[in-house]
Amino acid sequence: TSMKEVNQEVRKLTAEFRKMKEADDPVAYAKKREEIKLLTAEYRKMQEQLKPVATAVKNVNNEINASSGIMSKMANNFNKYWGVITTSIAALTGTLFAFKKAVTDFYDFQESSAALQSITGVSKEVRTQLEEDAKALSTASLEGSVKVTQSAKDIVDAYAMVGNARPELLKDVEALKSVTREAIILSAASKESLSVSVAGVTGILNQFNLEATESRRVINALAAGSLNGAKPIAYLNESIQISGATAKQFNVTIEESIAVTEVLGKRIDEAGKSGTNFRNILINLETQSVEGFKPSVVGMSQALANLEASHLSAAQAEKIFGKENYTSAQILINNRKEYDNLVVAVTGTNTAIEQAIINTDTEKAAVAQVTNALKNKSIMLGEKLVPVARVSLNVFNKLIDSFISVADW
């Protein structure tokens, strides 16, 4: 029963008692008086119990009133120095963010470097050398004016791709770096990704069994082909991956293969199909009996000229080339002059260098190099911060263990 309810009951009984007369019913009168007496006693007991609470409330109010002046002064001081506080917090937050970014940059670079060693099997010493070379190359210019815009991480990834595609280069680090630099130039010239350019260079080197020293010839031919033809380097690479080895076998050069691929590519969208058809055309020409139709004997251009001059019927052409390759063969024969012009356009040029110089003579390329320089410093800073971060995490881990122990206790 609450104090309020007891008080209400006392009031009610008192009102009823006042209406009673002892003479009318002495027993009821005495009983009612006793009830009032008991409830009144209970009410006073409750009041006594509440006195400490009232005193405590009064003391709290006094303390609040006393501290209001202090709080007011604190608020004034807080507002006064809030600008300084927020500036300091912002500076600290920015610094912490920069530290975190530096550690992340180092982790990413280290992962790429570890992948390079894992994929290629190079020694730790060679890996370290390639790391430093990649950092230096990311802010350098090739051939005097071709600005390198790829980051050190991108270049390390390219080293891994080149080494994986040409394992023999792992024994010659300078050759590995040379092929990668040529791929970087090709990427700048064609505006394709570095990975596409690496695949293009190494793919043709492999298909035609060429030495790394032929990389410059390869990038110029690819750049000139994509510039003068209809298809980009990615298409050329995919197609020649299928036809290249056969072309090499029958004395068809890189430049001639690129010219054929561009002629077919203008009419065939699928690189795989153009590569397969060209490979089959070469095989069929070499296995038929007319010597003048064989590229290995008279050369690709002359073989096409002889086929054009022979005015083969559809049945004769289909017999030589097969039904699946007939259309592609007719495309080459009917567009022999286009093919010849493309061979001239992609042979002995300096297209890759020229295009790369033009494409990197921009503010965007200059900013990319500055960004690379900053990232290199970020990687170096991150490398220094990692041990500190490791120690901090270990301390934090032990602190959590302590909290867990206390919680269990």
Coordinates of all heavy atoms in Angstrom, one line a residue, residues 62-156:
N62 N 21.3 21.2 -3.7 CA 22.3 22.2 -3.3 C 23.6 22.1 -4.0 O 24.2 23.0 -4.4 CB 22.6 22.0 -1.8 CG 21.4 22.5 -0.9 OD1 20.5 23.3 -1.3 ND2 21.3 21.9 0.3
E63 N 24.0 20.8 -4.3 CA 25.2 20.5 -5.0 C 25.1 21.0 -6.5 O 26.0 21.5 -7.1 CB 25.6 19.1 -5.0 CG 26.0 18.6 -3.6 CD 26.3 17.1 -3.6 OE1 26.3 16.5 -4.7 OE2 26.6 16.5 -2.5
I64 N 23.9 20.8 -7.1 CA 23.7 21.2 -8.4 C 23.8 22.7 -8.5 O 24.4 23.3 -9.5 CB 22.3 20.7 -8.9 CG1 22.3 19.2 -9.1 CG2 21.9 21.4 -10.2 CD1 21.0 18.6 -9.4
N65 N 23.1 23.4 -7.6 CA 23.2 24.8 -7.6 C 24.6 25.4 -7.4 O 25.0 26.3 -8.0 CB 22.3 25.4 -6.4 CG 20.8 25.1 -6.7 OD1 20.4 25.0 -7.9 ND2 20.0 25.0 -5.7
A66 N 25.4 24.7 -6.5 CA 26.7 25.1 -6.3 C 27.6 24.9 -7.5 O 28.5 25.6 -7.7 CB 27.3 24.3 -5.1
S67 N 27.4 23.8 -8.2 CA 28.2 23.4 -9.4 C 27.8 24.2 -10.6 O 28.6 24.1 -11.6 CB 28.2 21.9 -9.6 OG 26.9 21.5 -9.9
S68 N 26.7 24.8 -10.6 CA 26.2 25.4 -11.9 C 27.2 26.5 -12.3 O 27.4 26.7 -13.5 CB 24.8 26.0 -11.7 OG 24.8 27.0 -10.7
G69 N 27.7 27.2 -11.3 CA 28.7 28.3 -11.7 C 29.9 27.7 -12.3 O 30.5 28.2 -13.3
I70 N 30.4 26.5 -11.7 CA 31.6 25.9 -12.3 C 31.3 25.4 -13.7 O 32.2 25.6 -14.6 CB 32.0 24.7 -11.4 CG1 32.4 25.2 -10.0 CG2 33.2 23.9 -12.0 CD1 32.7 24.1 -9.0
M71 N 30.2 24.8 -13.9 CA 29.8 24.3 -15.2 C 29.7 25.4 -16.2 O 30.1 25.2 -17.4 CB 28.5 23.5 -15.1 CG 28.5 22.2 -14.3 SD 29.6 21.0 -15.0 CE 28.8 20.6 -16.5
S72 N 29.2 26.5 -15.8 CA 29.1 27.7 -16.7 C 30.5 28.1 -17.1 O 30.7 28.4 -18.3 CB 28.4 28.8 -16.0 OG 28.3 29.9 -16.8
K73 N 31.4 28.2 -16.1 CA 32.8 28.6 -16.5 C 33.4 27.5 -17.4 O 34.1 27.9 -18.4 CB 33.6 28.7 -15.2 CG 33.2 29.9 -14.3 CD 34.1 29.9 -13.1 CE 33.7 31.1 -12.2 NZ 34.5 31.2 -10.9
M74 N 33.2 26.3 -17.1 CA 33.7 25.2 -18.0 C 33.2 25.4 -19.4 O 33.9 25.2 -20.4 CB 33.4 23.8 -17.5 CG 34.2 23.5 -16.2 SD 33.7 21.9 -15.6 CE 34.2 20.8 -16.9
A75 N 31.9 25.6 -19.6 CA 31.3 25.8 -20.9 C 31.9 27.0 -21.6 O 32.2 26.9 -22.8 CB 29.8 26.0 -20.7
N76 N 32.1 28.1 -20.9 CA 32.7 29.2 -21.5 C 34.1 28.9 -22.0 O 34.5 29.3 -23.1 CB 32.8 30.4 -20.5 CG 31.4 31.0 -20.2 OD1 30.5 30.8 -21.0 ND2 31.2 31.6 -19.0
N77 N 34.9 28.2 -21.1 CA 36.3 27.9 -21.5 C 36.3 26.9 -22.7 O 37.1 27.0 -23.6 CB 37.0 27.3 -20.4 CG 37.4 28.3 -19.3 OD1 37.5 29.5 -19.6 ND2 37.5 27.8 -18.1
F78 N 35.3 25.9 -22.7 CA 35.2 25.0 -23.8 C 34.9 25.7 -25.1 O 35.5 25.4 -26.1 CB 34.1 24.0 -23.4 CG 34.0 22.8 -24.4 CD1 34.9 21.8 -24.4 CD2 33.0 22.9 -25.4 CE1 34.8 20.7 -25.3 CE2 32.9 21.9 -26.4 CZ 33.8 20.8 -26.3
N79 N 34.0 26.6 -25.1 CA 33.6 27.3 -26.3 C 34.8 28.2 -26.8 O 35.1 28.3 -28.0 CB 32.4 28.3 -26.0 CG 31.2 27.5 -25.9 OD1 31.0 26.4 -26.4 ND2 30.2 28.0 -25.1
K80 N 35.6 28.7 -25.8 CA 36.7 29.5 -26.1 C 37.8 28.8 -26.8 O 38.4 29.3 -27.8 CB 37.3 30.1 -24.8 CG 38.4 31.1 -25.0 CD 38.9 31.7 -23.7 CE 40.1 32.6 -23.9 NZ 40.6 33.1 -22.6
Y81 N 38.0 27.5 -26.4 CA 39.1 26.7 -27.0 C 38.6 25.7 -27.9 O 39.4 24.8 -28.4 CB 39.9 26.1 -25.8 CG 40.6 27.1 -25.0 CD1 40.2 27.3 -23.6 CD2 41.7 27.8 -25.4 CE1 40.8 28.2 -22.8 CE2 42.4 28.7 -24.6 CZ 41.9 28.9 -23.3 OH 42.5 29.8 -22.5
W82 N 37.3 25.7 -28.3 CA 36.8 24.7 -29.2 C 37.5 24.7 -30.5 O 37.7 23.7 -31.1 CB 35.3 24.9 -29.3 CG 34.7 23.9 -30.3 CD1 34.1 24.2 -31.5 CD2 34.6 22.5 -30.1 NE1 33.6 23.1 -32.1 CE2 33.9 22.0 -31.3 CE3 35.0 21.6 -29.2 CZ2 33.7 20.6 -31.5 CZ3 34.8 20.2 -29.3 CH2 34.1 19.8 -30.5
G83 N 37.7 25.9 -31.0 CA 38.4 26.0 -32.3 C 39.8 25.3 -32.3 O 40.1 24.6 -33.3
V84 N 40.5 25.6 -31.3 CA 41.8 24.9 -31.1 C 41.7 23.4 -31.0 O 42.4 22.7 -31.7 CB 42.6 25.5 -29.9 CG1 43.9 24.7 -29.7 CG2 42.8 27.0 -30.0
I85 N 40.7 23.0 -30.2 CA 40.5 21.5 -30.0 C 40.1 20.9 -31.4 O 40.7 19.8 -31.7 CB 39.4 21.3 -29.0 CG1 39.8 21.8 -27.6 CG2 39.0 19.8 -28.9 CD1 38.7 21.8 -26.6
T86 N 39.2 21.4 -32.1 CA 38.7 20.8 -33.3 C 39.9 20.8 -34.4 O 40.0 19.8 -35.1 CB 37.5 21.5 -33.9 OG1 37.8 22.9 -34.1 CG2 36.3 21.4 -33.1
T87 N 40.6 21.9 -34.4 CA 41.8 21.9 -35.3 C 42.8 20.8 -35.0 O 43.3 20.1 -35.9 CB 42.5 23.3 -35.3 OG1 41.5 24.3 -35.6 CG2 43.6 23.3 -36.3
S88 N 43.0 20.6 -33.7 CA 44.0 19.6 -33.3 C 43.5 18.2 -33.6 O 44.2 17.3 -34.1 CB 44.2 19.7 -31.8 OG 44.8 21.0 -31.5
I89 N 42.2 18.0 -33.4 CA 41.6 16.7 -33.7 C 41.6 16.4 -35.2 O 42.0 15.3 -35.6 CB 40.1 16.6 -33.2 CG1 40.1 16.6 -31.6 CG2 39.4 15.4 -33.7 CD1 38.7 16.7 -31.0
A90 N 41.3 17.4 -36.0 CA 41.4 17.2 -37.4 C 42.8 16.9 -37.9 O 43.0 16.0 -38.7 CB 40.9 18.5 -38.1
A91 N 43.8 17.6 -37.3 CA 45.2 17.3 -37.7 C 45.6 15.9 -37.3 O 46.2 15.2 -38.1 CB 46.1 18.3 -37.0
L92 N 45.1 15.5 -36.1 CA 45.5 14.2 -35.6 C 44.8 13.1 -36.5 O 45.4 12.1 -36.9 CB 45.0 14.0 -34.2 CG 45.3 12.6 -33.5 CD1 46.8 12.3 -33.5 CD2 44.7 12.6 -32.1
T93 N 43.5 13.4 -36.8 CA 42.8 12.4 -37.7 C 43.4 12.3 -39.0 O 43.6 11.2 -39.6 CB 41.3 12.9 -37.8 OG1 40.7 13.0 -36.6 CG2 40.5 11.9 -38.7
G94 N 43.8 13.4 -39.6 CA 44.5 13.4 -40.9 C 45.8 12.6 -40.9 O 46.1 11.9 -41.8
T95 N 46.5 12.8 -39.8 CA 47.8 12.1 -39.6 C 47.6 10.6 -39.5 O 48.3 9.8 -40.1 CB 48.6 12.6 -38.4 OG1 48.8 14.0 -38.5 CG2 49.9 11.9 -38.2
L96 N 46.6 10.2 -38.7 CA 46.3 8.8 -38.5 C 45.8 8.2 -39.8 O 46.2 7.1 -40.2 CB 45.2 8.6 -37.4 CG 45.7 9.0 -36.0 CD1 44.5 8.9 -35.1 CD2 46.8 8.0 -35.6
F97 N 45.0 8.9 -40.6 CA 44.6 8.4 -41.9 C 45.8 8.2 -42.8 O 45.8 7.2 -43.6 CB 43.6 9.4 -42.5 CG 43.1 9.0 -43.9 CD1 42.1 8.0 -44.0 CD2 43.6 9.5 -45.0 CE1 41.6 7.6 -45.2 CE2 43.2 9.2 -46.3 CZ 42.2 8.2 -46.4
A98 N 46.7 9.2 -42.8 CA 47.9 9.1 -43.7 C 48.7 7.9 -43.3 O 49.2 7.2 -44.2 CB 48.7 10.4 -43.6
F99 N 48.9 7.7 -42.0 CA 49.6 6.5 -41.5 C 48.9 5.2 -41.9 O 49.6 4.3 -42.4 CB 49.7 6.5 -40.0 CG 50.7 7.5 -39.5 CD1 50.8 7.8 -38.1 CD2 51.6 8.2 -40.3 CE1 51.8 8.7 -37.6 CE2 52.5 9.2 -39.9 CZ 52.6 9.4 -38.5
K100 N 47.6 5.2 -41.8 CA 46.9 4.0 -42.2 C 47.0 3.7 -43.7 O 47.2 2.6 -44.1 CB 45.4 4.1 -41.9 CG 44.6 2.9 -42.2 CD 43.1 3.1 -41.8 CE 42.3 1.9 -42.2 NZ 40.8 2.1 -41.9
K101 N 47.0 4.8 -44.5 CA 47.1 4.7 -46.0 C 48.5 4.2 -46.3 O 48.7 3.4 -47.2 CB 46.8 6.0 -46.6 CG 47.0 6.1 -48.1 CD 45.8 5.3 -48.8 CE 45.7 5.5 -50.3 NZ 46.9 5.1 -51.0
A102 N 49.5 4.7 -45.6 CA 50.9 4.3 -45.8 C 51.1 2.8 -45.6 O 51.7 2.1 -46.4 CB 51.9 5.1 -45.0
V103 N 50.5 2.3 -44.5 CA 50.6 0.9 -44.2 C 49.9 0.1 -45.2 O 50.4 -1.0 -45.7 CB 50.0 0.6 -42.8 CG1 49.9 -0.9 -42.5 CG2 50.9 1.3 -41.7
T104 N 48.7 0.5 -45.7 CA 48.0 -0.2 -46.7 C 48.8 -0.2 -48.0 O 48.8 -1.3 -48.7 CB 46.6 0.5 -47.0 OG1 45.9 0.4 -45.7 CG2 45.8 -0.3 -48.0
D105 N 49.4 0.9 -48.4 CA 50.2 0.9 -49.6 C 51.4 -0.1 -49.5 O 51.7 -0.7 -50.5 CB 50.7 2.4 -49.8 CG 49.7 3.3 -50.3 OD1 48.6 2.9 -50.8 OD2 49.9 4.5 -50.2
F106 N 52.0 -0.1 -48.4 CA 53.1 -1.0 -48.2 C 52.6 -2.5 -48.3 O 53.3 -3.3 -48.9 CB 53.8 -0.8 -46.8 CG 54.8 -1.9 -46.5 CD1 56.0 -2.0 -47.2 CD2 54.5 -2.8 -45.5 CE1 56.9 -3.0 -46.9 CE2 55.5 -3.8 -45.2 CZ 56.6 -3.9 -45.9
Y107 N 51.5 -2.8 -47.6 CA 50.9 -4.2 -47.7 C 50.7 -4.6 -49.1 O 51.0 -5.7 -49.6 CB 49.6 -4.2 -46.9 CG 49.8 -4.3 -45.4 CD1 48.8 -3.9 -44.5 CD2 51.0 -4.7 -44.8 CE1 48.9 -4.0 -43.1 CE2 51.2 -4.8 -43.4 CZ 50.1 -4.4 -42.6 OH 50.3 -4.5 -41.3
D108 N 50.0 -3.7 -49.9 CA 49.7 -4.0 -51.3 C 50.9 -4.2 -52.1 O 51.0 -5.1 -52.9 CB 48.8 -2.8 -51.9 CG 47.5 -2.7 -51.3 OD1 47.0 -3.7 -50.7 OD2 46.8 -1.7 -51.5
F109 N 51.9 -3.3 -51.9 CA 53.2 -3.5 -52.7 C 53.9 -4.8 -52.3 O 54.4 -5.5 -53.2 CB 54.1 -2.3 -52.4 CG 55.4 -2.3 -53.2 CD1 55.4 -2.0 -54.6 CD2 56.6 -2.5 -52.6 CE1 56.6 -2.1 -55.3 CE2 57.8 -2.5 -53.3 CZ 57.7 -2.3 -54.6
Q110 N 53.9 -5.1 -51.0 CA 54.6 -6.3 -50.6 C 53.9 -7.5 -51.1 O 54.5 -8.5 -51.5 CB 54.6 -6.3 -49.0 CG 55.4 -7.4 -48.4 CD 55.4 -7.4 -46.9 OE1 54.4 -7.4 -46.3 NE2 56.6 -7.5 -46.3
E111 N 52.5 -7.5 -51.2 CA 51.8 -8.7 -51.7 C 52.1 -8.9 -53.2 O 52.3 -10.0 -53.6 CB 50.3 -8.4 -51.6 CG 49.8 -8.6 -50.1 CD 48.3 -8.5 -50.0 OE1 47.6 -8.2 -51.1 OE2 47.7 -8.7 -48.9
S112 N 52.2 -7.8 -54.0 CA 52.6 -8.0 -55.4 C 54.0 -8.5 -55.5 O 54.3 -9.3 -56.3 CB 52.5 -6.6 -56.1 OG 51.2 -6.2 -56.2
S113 N 54.9 -8.0 -54.7 CA 56.3 -8.4 -54.7 C 56.4 -9.9 -54.3 O 57.2 -10.7 -54.9 CB 57.2 -7.6 -53.7 OG 58.5 -8.0 -53.7
A114 N 55.7 -10.3 -53.3 CA 55.7 -11.7 -52.9 C 55.1 -12.6 -54.0 O 55.6 -13.7 -54.2 CB 54.8 -11.9 -51.6
A115 N 54.1 -12.1 -54.6 CA 53.5 -12.9 -55.8 C 54.5 -13.0 -56.9 O 54.6 -14.1 -57.5 CB 52.2 -12.2 -56.3
L116 N 55.3 -12.0 -57.1 CA 56.4 -12.0 -58.1 C 57.3 -13.1 -57.8 O 57.7 -14.0 -58.7 CB 57.1 -10.7 -58.2 CG 58.4 -10.6 -58.9 CD1 58.2 -10.9 -60.4 CD2 59.1 -9.3 -58.8
Q117 N 57.8 -13.2 -56.6 CA 58.7 -14.2 -56.2 C 58.1 -15.6 -56.2 O 58.7 -16.6 -56.7 CB 59.3 -14.0 -54.8 CG 60.4 -14.9 -54.3 CD 60.9 -14.6 -52.9 OE1 60.4 -13.8 -52.2 NE2 62.0 -15.2 -52.6
S118 N 56.8 -15.7 -55.8 CA 56.2 -17.0 -55.8 C 55.9 -17.5 -57.2 O 56.1 -18.7 -57.4 CB 54.8 -16.8 -55.0 OG 54.1 -18.0 -55.1
I119 N 55.5 -16.7 -58.1 CA 55.1 -17.1 -59.4 C 56.4 -17.4 -60.3 O 56.4 -18.4 -61.0 CB 54.3 -16.0 -60.2 CG1 52.9 -15.9 -59.5 CG2 54.1 -16.3 -61.6 CD1 52.1 -14.7 -60.0
T120 N 57.4 -16.6 -60.1 CA 58.6 -16.7 -61.0 C 59.7 -17.5 -60.4 O 60.5 -18.0 -61.1 CB 59.1 -15.3 -61.4 OG1 59.5 -14.7 -60.2 CG2 58.0 -14.5 -62.0
G121 N 59.7 -17.6 -59.0 CA 60.7 -18.4 -58.3 C 62.0 -17.6 -58.2 O 63.1 -18.2 -58.0
V122 N 62.0 -16.3 -58.4 CA 63.3 -15.5 -58.3 C 63.7 -15.5 -56.9 O 63.0 -15.7 -55.9 CB 63.1 -14.1 -58.8 CG1 62.7 -14.0 -60.3 CG2 62.0 -13.3 -58.0
S123 N 65.0 -15.3 -56.6 CA 65.6 -15.2 -55.3 C 65.1 -14.0 -54.6 O 64.6 -13.0 -55.2 CB 67.1 -15.2 -55.4 OG 67.6 -14.0 -56.0
K124 N 65.3 -13.9 -53.2 CA 64.9 -12.8 -52.4 C 65.8 -11.6 -52.9 O 65.2 -10.4 -52.9 CB 65.2 -13.1 -51.0 CG 64.8 -12.0 -50.0 CD 63.3 -11.8 -50.0 CE 62.8 -10.7 -49.0 NZ 63.1 -11.1 -47.6
E125 N 67.0 -11.8 -53.3 CA 67.9 -10.7 -53.7 C 67.3 -10.0 -55.0 O 67.3 -8.8 -55.1 CB 69.3 -11.1 -53.9 CG 70.0 -11.5 -52.6 CD 69.6 -12.8 -52.0 OE1 68.9 -13.6 -52.8 OE2 69.8 -13.1 -50.8
V126 N 67.0 -10.9 -55.9 CA 66.4 -10.4 -57.2 C 65.1 -9.7 -57.0 O 64.8 -8.7 -57.6 CB 66.2 -11.6 -58.2 CG1 65.5 -11.1 -59.5 CG2 67.6 -12.1 -58.6
R127 N 64.3 -10.3 -56.1 CA 63.0 -9.7 -55.8 C 63.2 -8.3 -55.2 O 62.5 -7.3 -55.7 CB 62.3 -10.5 -54.7 CG 61.0 -9.9 -54.2 CD 60.4 -10.7 -53.1 NE 59.4 -10.0 -52.3 CZ 58.8 -10.5 -51.2 NH1 58.9 -11.8 -50.9 NH2 57.9 -9.8 -50.6
T128 N 64.1 -8.1 -54.3 CA 64.4 -6.8 -53.8 C 64.9 -5.8 -54.8 O 64.5 -4.6 -54.9 CB 65.5 -6.9 -52.6 OG1 65.0 -7.8 -51.6 CG2 65.8 -5.5 -52.0
Q129 N 65.8 -6.3 -55.7 CA 66.3 -5.5 -56.8 C 65.1 -5.0 -57.7 O 65.1 -3.8 -58.1 CB 67.3 -6.3 -57.6 CG 67.8 -5.5 -58.8 CD 68.7 -6.3 -59.8 OE1 69.2 -7.4 -59.4 NE2 68.9 -5.9 -61.0
L130 N 64.2 -5.9 -58.0 CA 63.1 -5.6 -58.9 C 62.1 -4.6 -58.2 O 61.6 -3.7 -58.9 CB 62.3 -6.8 -59.3 CG 63.1 -7.7 -60.3 CD1 62.3 -9.0 -60.5 CD2 63.4 -7.0 -61.6
E131 N 62.0 -4.7 -56.9 CA 61.2 -3.8 -56.2 C 61.7 -2.3 -56.3 O 61.0 -1.4 -56.6 CB 61.2 -4.1 -54.7 CG 60.3 -5.3 -54.3 CD 60.4 -5.7 -52.8 OE1 61.2 -5.0 -52.1 OE2 59.7 -6.5 -52.4
E132 N 63.0 -2.2 -56.1 CA 63.7 -0.9 -56.2 C 63.6 -0.3 -57.6 O 63.4 0.9 -57.8 CB 65.1 -0.9 -55.7 CG 65.2 -1.3 -54.2 CD 64.4 -0.4 -53.3 OE1 64.4 0.9 -53.5 OE2 63.6 -0.9 -52.5
D133 N 63.8 -1.2 -58.6 CA 63.8 -0.8 -60.0 C 62.4 -0.3 -60.4 O 62.2 0.6 -61.1 CB 64.2 -2.0 -60.9 CG 65.7 -2.2 -60.8 OD1 66.4 -1.3 -60.4 OD2 66.1 -3.3 -61.2
A134 N 61.4 -1.0 -59.8 CA 60.0 -0.6 -60.1 C 59.7 0.7 -59.6 O 59.0 1.6 -60.2 CB 59.0 -1.7 -59.5
K135 N 60.1 1.0 -58.4 CA 59.9 2.3 -57.8 C 60.6 3.4 -58.6 O 60.0 4.5 -58.9 CB 60.4 2.4 -56.3 CG 59.7 1.5 -55.4 CD 60.4 1.5 -54.0 CE 59.7 0.6 -53.0 NZ 60.4 0.5 -51.7
A136 N 61.8 3.2 -59.0 CA 62.5 4.2 -59.8 C 61.9 4.4 -61.2 O 61.7 5.5 -61.7 CB 64.0 3.7 -60.0
L137 N 61.4 3.2 -61.8 CA 60.8 3.3 -63.1 C 59.5 4.0 -63.1 O 59.1 4.7 -64.1 CB 60.6 1.9 -63.7 CG 60.1 1.7 -65.1 CD1 61.0 2.5 -66.1 CD2 60.1 0.2 -65.5
S138 N 58.7 4.0 -62.0 CA 57.4 4.6 -61.9 C 57.4 6.1 -62.0 O 56.4 6.7 -62.3 CB 56.7 4.2 -60.6 OG 57.4 4.8 -59.5
T139 N 58.6 6.7 -61.9 CA 58.7 8.2 -62.0 C 59.7 8.6 -63.1 O 60.1 9.7 -63.2 CB 59.2 8.8 -60.6 OG1 60.5 8.2 -60.3 CG2 58.2 8.5 -59.5
A140 N 60.1 7.6 -63.9 CA 61.1 7.9 -65.0 C 60.4 8.1 -66.3 O 59.2 8.0 -66.5 CB 62.0 6.7 -65.1
S141 N 61.3 8.5 -67.3 CA 60.8 8.7 -68.7 C 61.7 7.7 -69.5 O 62.9 7.6 -69.3 CB 61.0 10.1 -69.1 OG 60.1 11.0 -68.5
L142 N 61.0 7.1 -70.5 CA 61.7 6.1 -71.3 C 61.9 6.8 -72.7 O 61.1 7.6 -73.2 CB 60.9 4.8 -71.5 CG 60.6 4.1 -70.2 CD1 59.6 2.9 -70.4 CD2 61.9 3.6 -69.6
E143 N 63.0 6.4 -73.3 CA 63.3 7.0 -74.7 C 63.3 8.5 -74.6 O 62.9 9.2 -75.6 CB 62.4 6.5 -75.7 CG 62.4 5.0 -75.9 CD 63.8 4.5 -76.3 OE1 64.4 5.1 -77.2 OE2 64.3 3.5 -75.8
G144 N 63.6 9.1 -73.5 CA 63.7 10.5 -73.3 C 62.5 11.2 -73.0 O 62.5 12.1 -72.1
S145 N 61.3 10.8 -73.6 CA 60.1 11.6 -73.4 C 58.9 10.8 -73.1 O 57.8 11.4 -73.0 CB 59.9 12.5 -74.7 OG 61.0 13.3 -75.0
V146 N 59.0 9.5 -73.0 CA 57.8 8.7 -72.7 C 57.7 8.6 -71.2 O 58.4 7.9 -70.5 CB 57.9 7.3 -73.3 CG1 56.7 6.5 -73.0 CG2 58.1 7.4 -74.8
K147 N 56.7 9.3 -70.6 CA 56.5 9.3 -69.2 C 55.9 8.0 -68.7 O 54.8 7.6 -69.3 CB 55.7 10.5 -68.7 CG 56.3 11.9 -69.0 CD 55.4 13.0 -68.4 CE 55.9 14.4 -68.7 NZ 55.8 14.7 -70.2
V148 N 56.5 7.4 -67.7 CA 55.9 6.2 -67.2 C 54.8 6.6 -66.2 O 55.1 7.4 -65.2 CB 56.9 5.3 -66.5 CG1 56.3 4.1 -65.8 CG2 58.0 4.9 -67.5
T149 N 53.6 6.1 -66.4 CA 52.5 6.5 -65.5 C 52.0 5.4 -64.6 O 51.2 5.6 -63.7 CB 51.3 7.0 -66.3 OG1 50.9 5.9 -67.2 CG2 51.6 8.2 -67.2
Q150 N 52.5 4.2 -64.8 CA 52.2 3.1 -63.9 C 52.8 3.2 -62.6 O 54.0 3.6 -62.5 CB 52.5 1.7 -64.6 CG 51.7 1.3 -65.8 CD 52.1 2.0 -67.1 OE1 53.1 2.7 -67.1 NE2 51.4 1.8 -68.1
S151 N 52.2 2.7 -61.5 CA 52.7 2.7 -60.2 C 53.8 1.6 -60.0 O 53.9 0.7 -60.9 CB 51.6 2.5 -59.1 OG 51.1 1.2 -59.2
A152 N 54.6 1.7 -59.0 CA 55.6 0.7 -58.7 C 54.9 -0.7 -58.6 O 55.4 -1.7 -59.0 CB 56.3 1.0 -57.4
K153 N 53.7 -0.7 -57.9 CA 53.0 -2.0 -57.8 C 52.6 -2.5 -59.1 O 52.8 -3.8 -59.4 CB 51.8 -1.8 -56.9 CG 50.9 -3.0 -56.7 CD 49.6 -2.7 -56.0 CE 48.8 -4.0 -55.8 NZ 48.4 -4.6 -57.1
D154 N 52.1 -1.7 -60.0 CA 51.7 -2.1 -61.4 C 52.9 -2.7 -62.1 O 52.8 -3.7 -62.8 CB 51.1 -1.0 -62.2 CG 49.8 -0.5 -61.6 OD1 49.1 -1.3 -61.0 OD2 49.5 0.7 -61.8
I155 N 54.1 -2.1 -61.9 CA 55.3 -2.5 -62.6 C 55.8 -3.9 -62.1 O 56.2 -4.8 -62.8 CB 56.4 -1.5 -62.6 CG1 55.9 -0.2 -63.3 CG2 57.7 -2.0 -63.1 CD1 56.8 1.0 -63.1
V156 N 55.7 -4.0 -60.8 CA 56.0 -5.3 -60.2 C 55.1 -6.4 -60.7 O 55.6 -7.5 -61.0 CB 56.0 -5.3 -58.6 CG1 56.1 -6.7 -58.0 CG2 57.1 -4.4 -58.1

